[in-house]
Structure formats: C-alpha cells, structure tokens
Amino acid sequence: MCVIDQPAVRVRAKFFFEEDRKFFIKGVTYGPFAPDQLGDHFGTPEGASRDLDLMLEAGVNLVRIYYVPPRWFLDQCAERGIRALISIPWAEHLDFLSNRTIHKEAKAAVREGVRKHAGHPAVFGYLVGNEIPSTMVRWLGAREVTDFIEELITIGRKEDPRALFSYASYPPTEYLLPQNSDFVTFNVYLHRQEDFDRYLARLQNLADDKPLILGEFGMDTIRHPEEEQSAMLRWHIESVVRGGLAGTVIYAWTDEWHRGGQDILDWSFGLVRRDRTQKPAFETVKRLFHGEGPMTSHVQLKQYPKASVIVCSFNGSKTLDRCLESLQHINYPDYEVILVDDGSTDNTQEIAGRHPWVKNIHQENKGLSFARNVGAQASCGEVLVYTDSDCMADPDWLYYLIGTLLSGDYAGVGGPNISPPAENWVQACVAAAPGGPSHVLLTDVVAEHIPGCNMAFHRWAFDQVGGFDSEYRKAGDDVDFCWRLQQSGGVIAFSPAAIVWHYRRFTLKAFKKQQEGYGEAESMLRFQHLVFFGPTGTAKWKGQIYGAPRFTWLVNKPVIYHGVFGQGLFQSIYPTPQSELAAYLSSIEWVALTLFIFAVSIPVPFLRIVPYLMFGGTLLVALSYMIHARLEARHDTVPARLLVAFLALTQPLVRGWSRHFTWLKFKRTPPSVIASTEKGFKPPFGSLGRLQFWSEEGHGRERLLDEVLETLESEGWSYSLDTGWKTWDIQIYGSFWWGIQLRTVTEYHGGPKCLTRAHLQTRVVATTVLVNMAMLLALIYQQFLIPGGSVWLWMPYGVFLIFLARRARRLKRRVAALVGAAAARCGLGLLKGRG
C-alpha cells in the first residue's frame, strides 16, 4: 500500500490551505459500525476500501469519524488522498467537572487518542468533544465547560502540533467557543434554506476570523423522500459556499451504522443505502463536490457584474507589489484594477510598471478621498470596489463581496481586514493593539460601518451621495461615506468571507501617526455628523465594533438565553456593547481629570488616594486588554504582552489628544477674517443679538441661510450646520475664546410679506472654560491656602474678564454685520429695534 505524504493543512483566517491552494472540506461522516474483536468501529479493511473508493468517486476529501481509528484505516485514507477528522469520545453527558474519575478519563482519552496517530499524513484534525448536552452545560457553567474544552485542546496539541483542533458544538450550545481552537465546528440540521442562510450568517460572526465548518448536516430518507434529500443537499452545499464557510460534512455516508450495542434501522441519512447502492443525493453531491478548481467555480452567482477594483496609494511601495499580485489572481470573471498614485515620492511608479494590466493613474498629492473619486471617474464597472495598497486580497474576495451585495437590496458591502503574519514582534503587537480599522455591525448581515480597505458599492449608490468628500485627506472618508449613504436610505451589507489581508503599521512611530490621523478624522467628522458623537468627541456607534477592547471579565459579561428550564433549541449568546466604563477609564479626559485632582491634592494629602485610584482604573483596562489580546504564537512573549499593555494605555490618549487639538483648530476662524470689515452693512448699536429683516417678496429664512453659508464659505469661517437634532441653524466658530450660534425663524404676515428674525447667541468654547478654571483655582489656592495671600492678584483676572467681554462683543458685531450684509444681498430689509 502506497501512503501519500500529504502536506499539512493550515489555517489562514477564514479558510484552510494546503500549501498555497485553498482546501474546502467536502466531507461525509462514516460509521460507527459494530465493533470488531479489537473493539474498533470501522468494519473490515475490505469494506472500508470499497467505501473510500466510492467516496473518491463522489469528490469527498474528508471523512469525519466518531472513534479513534486503527492504523490501517488512516493508511487507506492517505493512499487515496482523503483526510480524517477524528472525534474523540468521552463521557460528555455526565458531570465531568465534579467527578474526578470522568475528568481524568476525558483528558486521558484525548492525550492517548492524539498520541496514537500523531504525525500521520491522513489526520486532518481532532474534535475533542461533540454536543455536550445543553442542560449539562447550564448545570456546570458555560465558562467552566469552555475552559475544560480549551484544556483538552491544549493537551491534544502538545501530542500532535501538526493537527488542527476544534470542538463540535450545536445550536443549543452556540456559546461554547473555545478561544484556542483552530476552527469552529457546528452540527446544524435546518431544512428551510431561508432559516439556514440566516443562521449561517450568525455563526460566521460568532466564528470571528476563524474558519467555520458544518460538522453534520443531513436528512432522513425514511421520513422524507430521497428526492427531497437530494434537493436539500444541493441548496445546502450552495449556501455553504456562498456563505463563505470553509467546508461541510454531510451526515452520513451510508444508512448502515451502529450505536448503543445495536444496528440503527429506523434512521436513514446516507448518501448510499446499507447495500451501498446510490441514492439520488449521491449524484447531486458528486456533481458539486467533483472537479478541479475552487468551490466558488462550482457554485455560480446569479450574475457577475463588471467590478472596478480601485487601489489608492501614497508612498505605499513597500506592499504595493504584493497587493497587485494578489489582485491578478482573483477568481472572478469580469473585473479591472485601477491604481491611483496620489503623488508618491517613492518607487510606486516603478512597481506599477511591472503590472501593465493595471490602469495606472499618476496625479499630484490631493488626498485619499480625492484619489478614490478619481479612480471612480476612470472606471467602467457597475460595482466600485476599494482596497488599499497595504492589503492583499483573498482569491475569492470579489466572489463573496459581490455575491453578498447582490443577495439583497443593498447599496454597498464590506468585509473583514485581517493582519497577515507579522514580520517582527513589534508589528505583531501593533496588530494586536486597539484602534485598528474594523467593521461595525447592526445585525449579522447589516453593517453600520465598513473599513475603506475592503468595501464595494453599486455605482448608482456612489453617484447618489456624490462620492467621497475630498476634505478627508488621510482617514475618515469611509465613515463619512457610510453615514451619508445610510442617511439617504441605503443599506450596507457585511460579507465575513470577503477577506483582505491588511498589513498593520510596521513601527511604533507609524502606529502613532496612524492614530493621530484617526483622531484628526474624528474631529472633522464631528463637524458634519455632530449627532453621531458624544460630548468628548468620540463616535457613538449603534452597532457592535468588532475587535474593540472588552472588559467582560469584570463587567458587561455576555448574556446567554437558555430557554425555559434550559430547554431552548437555539440557546443564543448576546454579547453586551463595548464597556462604556472601560472607554471612560482609558480616555484622555479621564487621565486629564486624574492629573488635575493630583495637582489639587498636593497641598491636601488626604485627597491623594483619589488620583491613585483613578489611574489604577486606567491601568486596569490596559492590563485587561493585554491579557485578552490575541498575539501570534511565535511572538507571544512577556515583552510583547507588556508592549501591548503600553499601546492599550497610550492609544486612546494619542487619538484623543489629536482629536481635541484638531477640533480646537477647526473651531477657530483665522483672526484676519474676524478682523476684516463687512462692506455695505453696519449693525445698529445695541441690537447685535436680535436682528429683524422684512421682505415684501416672500424671501424668508431659507434664502437668508443660503446666503449666510455662501458668505461664511467664501470668507474662510469655520462653522457647523444643524444635523436635524439641534435648536440652532449654524454654529460659527470664531476666536480662541468665543463662538456664535445663529437661529432663525420667519413669520408670515399675509401674502408674500414676511418677517425673519435672527438670534445671535455668544457661546464659550472649551479653552475659555479651561483657562478660567485654572486661573480661579490658582487664585483660590493662593488666597486661602497660602498665608498672606494678596487680594491684588485678583486684579489681573478682572482685566482678563474685560478682555474676554470685549472679544465676545467684537465677534458678535462682526457676525451681525455678516448676517446683515447677507440679508441685504438677498433682498431682506433691516428693521431697527428689538424683535
């Protein structure tokens, strides 16, 4: 017998790979059969040989077996290039945590079962458990059972590092998700395709960035016609492929099986009958399983619209060649690739020259959004697809992305971006640190935000919102685009299998620069989407941010629905939102308050414990993130964990600092603009806050606001507009100290005659409050805590207050003049007197 030395199957994000080829599991369950004299449940070698040959004819590449097999069975599998997924049985239905004997026997079963065939080329992997009863899990505790499964996986991996490990769960225990498993396995029996597809989407998100396979799926042909089984397995395989799963195992190969000391005669799930004659389902499976090439070639989409893949790059030569190389090998029949070089000064153009099949556009540096719009204008596809020069696409990326886009009434779609293996330990720590680009999901299939490195839109949706806003030169354009698209009624889908590999920053300096850019983008977004932001300037997402830090070991633990008395058929896990407590404790505002209280406590010793406790909370969040962060195994060292803790501590501070100072910069209008005079209008003395304008032609507030906005834009003022949730129309940012809010209303006095009232209200800005608080605290400190404090020091503060009042008056007069001049230009006459 010639045993083929097959290469080991490895996991890369959501899929398995055999060397450089994607390995899709096309499996069947086999047995168990009545035990022989040695206690093995695999029948005779001759019978197994006939079955395996027939499996090979059907295109099967993996058998799932429920006992550790004899050596001869694995040798026969290896001879045919078929792999084995071995379930290791133990007493899962008993109280295995409290009973020490069962506890030890379970660990011994895994250790000895894996050791028996360690390194055998036919072994795909092991399932260290199968469908622990939901009532037993509820009795023992979900966390405790998960910990035990993880312990079993660790035991097995020590015996055979080459093999892959998982646990076979099922809907009543979907929350059993061992973190150290290589892939996620679920046994699912749903006979309605619509229900099945929805549940697959949920399982994909529970699986996160690991491969998801179905460990069992089938239909009994005693209670259902054989033709119905055939039809169901057809849509089952198609749904599994389109849903982006890494494979499926059909239950079962044959109607012959043995359980509990007797042959099972009242269930017939097999593709072949007990005598090995073929059911109609055999030919259906054979037609879909057999053949060369990826499974996405076997399961066609309803249509393949032309896709334009747009890659924008600025000095991205380090990864650009790998990016374009990956795009050249996409399994999609009709697409083009457009490279927009946004004024790079490195060798980007030299690299582009190696890829003449790419449409190359070279322009002056005008920013990311502008480059994305240029790429759209140069494209001819029905679907606009975006990725970045530091990304590599999975071969089936477009298949999954566009397949999801066309599966419903969606305007756009996005997918996950996953870090490739790090080149050094620092890059591995950066990849594990918080603050990376991630998707935000409202449901299992609907996204609130998708990252710009992996997104696609119908051209009509892109045109509907006017493309990307060119104000965003570095980041934030994808968030702005998603929000505008949703505000216009568009829905964005999420495709968990549409993967791009996204290189995280290679150095700490580059990571710091990235976070500063994100903070700046948040400030710019806040101007246009104020309703989506909290008081500190951080975005308020409605959905779940994937990859965000959790604090679930202490608070915000996920909730599990077990059903009444633990009898639910689908016992769902509901993760709670990101911990607001953790966000506050790690924010720059909290750290600033900590430093402030520390400064105040210097002369008051009994207060000193307060800032220490506050900083302790901040440090606790960083340490929690350090413990739960997922680092690549080869880089998972103590120094690496400490660096992750440092990054978790500093990332929100760097981002917050940039956010606040960008906000302050954008909240200021250049002094030269404020100091200039408005020609043709002089506001009446004493009526700066309330202005009245009369029109005989019916020109009201809408006309006035349009003219005011045009004036603000042309003169270079900084301002924000009402997003529908404010009581003001325009917020005008003036000096370092003051801003103005403009409100308007129009009264109609018969026919076209109308009176428009404008109210200008002076508003302090953050710097005014902070400076006043600092000065007052210093004065109070010297007055009451320092012996001989002088009251004369209050005089400079009084002068400062006079200065502030004069600046406020000056700004209001300037804005009143601007509004009056705008009113005059649109035919509104000023009425003197207070309104």
Side-chain angles (χ1 to χ4, degrees):
M1 181 179 292
C2 178
V3 176
I4 301 173
D5 187 13
Q6 303 174 93
V9 173
R10 293 287 175 251
V11 170
R12 297 183 194 169
K14 300 288 290 182
F15 299 104
F16 301 112
F17 280 81
E18 187 181 67
E19 295 182 329
D20 292 329
R21 300 184 304 276
K22 190 174 286 187
F23 182 84
F24 182 88
I25 289 179
K26 297 176 279 191
V28 292
T29 65
Y30 189 62
F33 303 112
D36 60 17
Q37 293 179 348
L38 299 176
D40 292 324
H41 297 260
F42 292 85
T44 65
E46 296 76 19
S49 179
R50 287 191 297 270
D51 280 332
L52 290 172
D53 285 339
L54 200 54
M55 290 181 198
L56 206 60
E57 180 186 335
V60 170
N61 62 9
L62 178 141
V63 290
R64 179 185 173 184
I65 49 182
Y66 294 91
Y67 289 89
V68 178
R71 181 83 180 187
W72 62 260
F73 181 81
L74 290 181
D75 289 344
Q76 287 199 8
C77 288
E79 183 183 11
R80 294 163 176 82
I82 294 176
R83 299 177 185 270
L85 177 59
I86 304 170
S87 294
I88 300 179
W90 50 275
E92 295 119 327
H93 62 291
L94 303 179
D95 187 349
F96 52 85
L97 294 185
S98 301
N99 189 312
R100 290 188 177 184
T101 301
I102 300 174
H103 193 87
K104 291 181 179 179
E105 287 175 352
K107 293 194 284 188
V110 171
R111 183 180 298 108
E112 294 166 9
V114 176
R115 181 183 298 167
K116 182 176 180 180
H117 298 300
H120 196 288
V123 174
F124 174 88
Y126 295 89
L127 299 174
V128 298
N130 181 70
E131 294 187 7
I132 299 174
S134 58
T135 52
M136 183 58 67
V137 178
R138 183 171 176 262
W139 171 261
L140 297 173
R143 181 67 262 171
E144 290 75 10
V145 173
T146 303
D147 289 343
F148 183 64
I149 295 172
E150 291 176 350
E151 184 180 0
L152 294 180
I153 290 174
T154 300
I155 290 171
R157 189 168 282 135
K158 287 181 180 177
E159 297 297 330
D160 189 359
R162 184 179 188 267
L164 302 177
F165 289 86
S166 183
Y167 162 78
S169 190
Y170 67 138
T173 58
E174 69 169 28
Y175 44 83
L176 292 182
L177 299 167
Q179 293 302 300
N180 63 345
S181 66
D182 294 301
F183 57 100
V184 177
T185 307
F186 271 87
N187 304 331
V188 178
Y189 292 86
L190 285 172
H191 290 179
R192 289 183 66 243
Q193 186 175 11
E194 185 179 352
D195 297 335
F196 181 74
D197 288 345
R198 281 201 301 266
Y199 196 58
L200 285 191
R202 174 170 179 78
L203 293 182
Q204 278 284 36
N205 288 318
L206 290 177
D208 198 18
D209 60 355
K210 294 180 181 179
L212 170 66
I213 72 167
L214 294 187
E216 290 179 6
F217 183 93
M219 176 178 279
D220 172 37
T221 57
I222 293 179
R223 293 159 184 83
H224 298 269
E226 292 184 350
E227 291 72 18
E228 185 180 351
Q229 178 201 37
S230 175
M232 189 193 70
L233 290 180
R234 178 189 55 75
W235 65 248
H236 164 76
I237 296 171
E238 291 176 350
S239 289
V240 163
V241 174
R242 292 192 184 116
L245 275 70
T248 184
V249 179
I250 294 171
Y251 188 91
W253 170 247
T254 173
D255 290 341
E256 179 190 356
W257 61 297
H258 184 93
R259 195 76 171 177
Q262 60 183 353
D263 290 337
I264 306 300
L265 303 176
D266 59 343
W267 294 94
S268 297
F269 281 81
L271 297 179
V272 298
R273 303 177 185 91
R274 297 175 66 86
D275 61 0
R276 300 318 191 257
T277 56
Q278 300 169 9
K279 297 180 185 178
F282 180 91
E283 284 299 325
T284 298
V285 170
K286 177 181 177 180
R287 195 162 52 248
L288 288 167
F289 273 2
H290 223 287
E292 297 297 325
M295 283 298 292
T296 52
S297 301
H298 304 180
V299 179
Q300 298 289 308
L301 300 180
K302 293 180 181 178
Q303 54 181 303
Y304 290 87
K306 185 177 180 63
S308 297
V309 180
I310 300 166
V311 182
C312 301
S313 179
F314 174 69
N315 289 340
S317 62
K318 187 170 185 178
T319 55
L320 179 61
D321 194 54
R322 279 170 283 185
C323 171
L324 298 179
E325 184 74 22
S326 72
L327 294 176
Q328 191 172 9
H329 298 94
I330 295 292
N331 298 322
Y332 190 83
D334 190 10
Y335 72 101
E336 63 175 350
V337 176
I338 300 169
L339 171 65
V340 183
D341 179 0
D342 189 35
S344 298
T345 56
D346 58 7
N347 63 329
T348 291
Q349 282 302 301
E350 177 189 336
I351 294 170
R354 302 175 198 162
H355 300 273
W357 57 277
V358 174
K359 186 183 294 185
N360 180 20
I361 300 173
H362 188 205
Q363 65 177 30
E364 295 180 4
N365 180 252
K366 295 184 178 180
L368 178 59
S369 295
F370 192 93
R372 283 179 168 160
N373 287 336
V374 167
Q377 292 166 5
S379 68
C380 58
E382 300 173 56
V383 179
L384 304 178
V385 187
Y386 287 93
T387 189
D388 293 341
S389 60
D390 56 355
C391 294
M392 296 181 298
D394 180 82
D396 297 313
W397 174 52
L398 286 183
Y399 174 91
Y400 292 122
L401 205 62
I402 294 179
T404 301
L405 180 64
L406 301 179
S407 66
D409 190 17
Y410 301 122
V413 64
N417 65 101
I418 298 172
S419 300
E423 297 183 6
N424 53 63
W425 74 282
V426 173
Q427 190 186 12
C429 292
V430 169
S438 187
H439 50 280
V440 183
L441 296 188
L442 294 168
T443 70
D444 292 321
V445 294
V446 176
E448 183 179 6
H449 167 252
I450 47 178
C453 60
N454 189 1
M455 59 185 182
F457 304 97
H458 286 293
R459 183 177 289 275
W460 60 260
F462 182 90
D463 294 338
Q464 178 178 297
V465 296
F468 293 93
D469 188 338
S470 58
E471 290 293 320
Y472 299 93
R473 294 184 60 87
K474 300 176 183 177
D477 59 322
D478 50 354
V479 180
D480 169 73
F481 189 92
C482 288
W483 280 344
R484 285 191 287 122
L485 187 60
Q486 290 168 89
Q487 287 169 337
S488 69
V491 179
I492 301 171
F494 180 72
S495 179
I499 293 170
V500 296
W501 298 90
H502 187 193
Y503 285 100
R504 298 303 190 251
R505 297 305 185 263
F506 289 87
T507 64
L508 296 180
K509 182 178 180 181
F511 177 70
K512 175 176 176 290
K513 187 176 179 180
Q514 178 197 45
Q515 297 305 311
E516 289 173 342
Y518 286 162
E520 180 180 326
E522 285 177 336
S523 281
M524 296 174 65
L525 286 164
R526 190 178 173 192
F527 276 86
Q528 294 179 295
H529 305 279
L530 199 58
V531 69
F532 292 105
F533 287 85
T536 62
T538 54
K540 296 188 299 183
W541 299 104
K542 299 175 184 176
Q544 286 280 348
I545 306 173
Y546 280 72
R550 294 285 197 266
F551 211 34
T552 55
W553 60 274
L554 184 61
V555 294
N556 277 39
K557 294 183 178 180
V559 177
I560 297 172
Y561 172 76
H562 293 282
V564 178
F565 301 138
Q567 296 294 332
L569 293 178
F570 289 81
Q571 301 187 12
S572 302
I573 183 171
Y574 295 92
T576 51
Q578 284 69 37
S579 172
E580 292 188 7
L581 174 61
Y584 282 127
L585 291 178
S586 59
S587 68
I588 192 171
E589 294 81 14
W590 179 266
V591 173
L593 182 61
T594 302
L595 294 174
F596 172 75
I597 295 177
F598 178 77
V600 171
S601 69
I602 292 176
V604 188
F606 71 86
L607 282 179
R608 209 163 297 167
I609 188 63
V610 176
Y612 292 153
L613 291 174
M614 292 175 68
F615 181 71
T618 304
L619 193 60
L620 195 62
V621 174
L623 293 175
S624 173
Y625 192 93
M626 176 195 75
I627 293 169
H628 293 93
R630 285 189 293 177
L631 271 167
E632 291 181 47
R634 63 194 180 105
H635 297 302
D636 194 354
T637 61
V638 172
R641 288 281 169 182
L642 292 175
L643 179 56
V644 169
F646 173 75
L647 294 176
L649 181 68
T650 58
Q651 179 270 335
L653 305 183
V654 171
R655 195 158 172 169
W657 181 273
S658 176
R659 181 173 63 247
H660 282 295
F661 274 82
T662 302
W663 177 243
L664 290 175
K665 179 180 72 175
F666 277 100
K667 285 177 73 173
R668 294 179 61 187
T669 294
S672 59
V673 174
I674 299 175
S676 63
T677 57
E678 194 70 42
K679 297 180 181 179
F681 184 86
K682 185 176 182 180
F685 183 79
S687 301
L688 297 179
R690 296 184 180 273
L691 303 173
Q692 302 177 90
F693 304 99
W694 182 260
S695 172
E696 299 280 346
E697 291 80 24
H699 298 161
R701 60 189 292 268
E702 293 81 8
R703 185 84 173 265
L704 174 62
L705 290 173
D706 287 343
E707 190 65 37
V708 169
L709 288 174
E710 187 175 329
T711 305
L712 291 171
E713 194 67 33
S714 63
E715 292 186 4
W717 291 80
S718 292
Y719 61 91
S720 287
L721 300 179
D722 170 34
T723 56
W725 302 84
K726 299 300 178 181
T727 57
W728 43 261
D729 298 318
I730 306 174
Q731 182 157 293
I732 301 168
Y733 303 112
S735 66
F736 193 74
W737 310 104
W738 299 102
I740 299 289
Q741 286 181 352
L742 169 64
R743 292 189 299 156
T744 61
V745 68
T746 297
E747 301 173 357
Y748 291 92
H749 293 265
K753 298 178 182 180
C754 58
L755 175 71
T756 298
R757 302 179 187 272
H759 181 210
L760 301 176
Q761 184 175 7
T762 307
R763 306 290 294 181
V764 296
V765 298
T767 46
T768 309
V769 176
L770 292 173
V771 171
N772 274 276
M773 285 179 60
M775 294 179 70
L776 281 171
L777 286 170
L779 289 169
I780 292 170
Y781 176 71
Q782 70 84 29
Q783 184 70 38
F784 297 104
L785 297 178
I786 298 179
S790 173
V791 296
W792 294 103
L793 292 176
W794 286 82
M795 292 185 65
Y797 181 62
V799 174
F800 176 68
L801 292 179
I802 294 172
F803 163 79
L804 287 180
R806 288 175 61 86
R807 282 300 183 97
R809 178 76 179 177
R810 175 187 174 191
L811 177 64
K812 184 178 280 190
R813 176 173 289 275
R814 174 70 174 86
V815 174
L818 184 150
V819 173
R825 285 193 293 273
C826 59
L828 300 178
L830 176 68
L831 295 181
K832 296 185 179 181
R834 300 183 64 85

